[in-house]
Amino acid sequence: MEYLDFEEPIKELEEQYAKACNIGEESEVDVTATCKQIEKKLIEKKKEIYKNLTPWQRVQLSRHPNRPYTLDYINAICGDTFLELHGDRNVKDDKAMIGGLGKIEDQSYMFVGQQKGYNTKTRQYRNFGMANPEGYRKALRLMKSAEKFGVPVVCFVDTPGAYPGLEAEERGQGEAIARNILEMTRLKVPIFVVIIGEGASGGALGIGVGDKVMMLENTWYSVISPESCSSILWRSWEYKERAAEALKLTATDMKKQKLIDEIVKEPLGGAHANREEIFNTVKTSISKAYSEFKNLSPEDLVEKRMDKYLDMGVFKG
C-alpha cells in the first residue's frame, strides 16, 4: 500500500499493529490486548484525518495510485457480461476512452469512461487517461447506439483533461467535446455520470452531461486543475493548495452550487481502502438512479435534462 504525506500517522500505526501481531504469532506472548489497543487508535486516527481533509488533500486522494479505475468498476459491477466495443469508425481506437455493453442484474447499460494505467507501460498505453478527439467520437458513437436500442448510458469520469497535443487539436479536439455536450443534452435515453477520480476541464465535460451526476466523496470536478490554476495566477505550482481552496472543486462544494446531484460516500480511507464496498455502493447508486428515470418518456427526459442545465448558474437578485 502506498501512503500520501498526510497519511503518515496511519502508516506508523499500521506498522506497529503488524509488528505486534507478528510478535504474537512468533512467540508465546499474548499480545491480543496490545493489538486491540493499536487497532482502536488506528480507527480513531483514520476518522480524525479523513473527516478534516482539505480540498488539496481530496485532490491527492483522487489521484491515489491504488484507487480503482473505470475498468475496475465495470468488471466488478458487470462481471463477465461486459463486452468492450472499439473504434470511432473514423480515425482509430482511443485506448484512453473505453466503452461497451454490460449488465447490472437484468438491465443492460452502455458504459463509457476514461481509463488510466497502473504502471509506466500501461499509463503510456492509456495516454494517462487523456483522450484524443477519436476517444470522444467513439464515446458519442456508443451513446448513439445505446439510444437506438433504448439502453441507458453510464459514464465514468476520471481524467486530468483531454489530450492537449498538436495532433489532437488538428483533428478537432474542441469540436469533438462540444459535439458530445450538444448530443448528450438531447440523447433520448437516461444518462448517469459518476465522477470516480479527477474531473478536469473539457475532458470531463465531454462525457459529463447527465440526468443524474454523482461524485464520489474524495473526487474533484473543475474547469482547471489546482496546479495549472496556480501556475497561471501565481506563475508557480507552489500555490496549488490555495488554488484548490479557491476553485471550490470538492463534491461538497459542487453539491452546494447545485452542479451535481449526489455525493457517493466512500469507505473510511478512500475508495482504494475497501474496493468491494465502493463497487457495491456505486452499483446500488446506478440502479437507484435508473429506477428514478426509467418511466419517463424520451421527450420528458430531454426536457428535464435541458431545464436542469439551463438553471445552472442562475442567481436571483
Side-chain angles (χ1 to χ4, degrees):
M1 177 68 91
E2 292 186 46
Y3 294 87
L4 300 167
D5 50 5
F6 62 88
E7 292 177 314
E8 279 304 312
I10 295 168
K11 184 186 176 183
E12 283 167 25
L13 283 168
E14 282 185 346
E15 282 171 358
Q16 280 178 29
Y17 181 71
K19 264 183 200 165
C21 291
N22 281 346
I23 290 166
E25 279 169 27
E26 286 164 15
S27 64
E28 299 296 309
V29 185
D30 182 19
V31 288
T32 320
T34 315
C35 286
K36 273 189 179 159
Q37 202 181 342
I38 298 170
E39 197 174 6
K40 194 182 166 194
K41 246 190 192 174
L42 185 59
I43 292 165
E44 279 167 13
K45 183 54 79 178
K46 275 186 178 179
K47 280 180 181 167
E48 182 197 321
I49 287 174
Y50 295 114
K51 237 180 211 153
N52 304 302
L53 290 174
T54 65
W56 173 245
Q57 285 170 341
R58 289 199 192 277
V59 170
Q60 286 178 289
L61 265 182
S62 77
R63 297 168 176 166
H64 199 289
N66 300 119
R67 199 173 171 87
Y69 297 140
T70 297
L71 273 174
D72 299 319
Y73 282 96
I74 292 173
N75 290 329
I77 290 167
C78 304
D80 54 7
T81 66
F82 180 62
L83 171 71
E84 192 176 345
L85 301 166
H86 300 270
D88 71 335
R89 300 288 184 271
N90 196 0
V91 178
K92 62 174 184 180
D93 183 43
D94 189 340
K95 306 292 185 227
M97 184 77 76
I98 58 124
L101 288 159
K103 277 186 171 187
I104 297 178
E105 277 128 28
D106 289 331
Q107 176 59 46
S108 294
Y109 293 87
M110 180 65 81
F111 290 92
V112 174
Q114 287 106 352
Q115 175 67 24
K116 291 177 174 175
Y118 302 94
N119 52 33
T120 308
K121 198 178 175 183
T122 55
R123 279 176 196 136
Q124 285 177 320
Y125 178 70
R126 298 285 181 190
N127 200 30
F128 300 87
M130 296 188 290
N132 276 281
E134 47 275 17
Y136 292 97
R137 291 181 181 128
K138 167 164 90 170
L140 183 58
R141 180 178 79 80
L142 299 184
M143 288 185 226
K144 283 291 193 184
S145 297
E147 181 183 50
K148 187 178 172 183
F149 297 107
V151 175
V153 175
V154 176
C155 297
F156 288 115
V157 176
D158 186 12
T159 180
Y163 184 58
L166 181 65
E167 62 276 28
E169 298 299 341
E170 284 171 349
R171 289 197 299 275
Q173 185 70 287
E175 189 276 338
I177 291 169
R179 169 78 51 197
N180 275 26
I181 295 169
L182 169 68
E183 295 292 350
M184 285 179 88
T185 55
R186 58 190 189 192
L187 206 73
K188 292 182 174 69
V189 289
I191 309 170
F192 310 116
V193 178
V194 190
I195 295 151
I196 57 168
E198 300 181 271
S201 192
L205 280 182
I207 59 164
V209 177
D211 298 295
K212 190 152 198 182
V213 180
M214 299 170 264
M215 259 178 104
L216 267 58
E217 209 177 351
N218 297 312
T219 61
W220 60 278
Y221 197 22
S222 173
V223 70
I224 193 169
S225 72
E227 294 95 329
S228 304
C229 177
S230 169
S231 64
I232 290 169
L233 293 181
W234 291 283
R235 300 275 183 269
S236 159
W237 277 33
E238 280 172 36
Y239 301 93
K240 51 189 184 287
E241 287 94 339
R242 267 176 75 183
E245 191 78 49
L247 283 165
K248 302 283 179 230
L249 42 65
T250 65
T252 319
D253 292 322
M254 296 299 285
K255 182 86 169 74
K256 213 189 221 164
Q257 306 282 3
K258 297 189 171 65
L259 297 172
I260 61 155
D261 305 296
E262 191 184 307
I263 299 171
V264 178
K265 206 162 165 40
E266 288 187 25
L268 186 65
H272 57 283
N274 188 338
R275 286 178 164 230
E276 207 59 48
E277 189 183 322
I278 195 67
F279 294 151
N280 286 329
T281 309
V282 169
K283 185 179 179 177
T284 309
S285 300
I286 293 167
S287 297
K288 206 170 123 200
Y290 178 63
S291 62
E292 268 177 59
F293 290 92
K294 67 177 178 184
N295 297 321
L296 289 178
S297 70
E299 293 73 26
D300 290 345
L301 197 65
V302 173
E303 193 182 339
K304 209 173 168 190
R305 191 185 305 142
M306 287 210 176
D307 287 346
K308 176 187 151 180
Y309 280 91
L310 285 169
D311 282 346
M312 285 181 184
V314 174
F315 288 90
K316 291 178 176 71

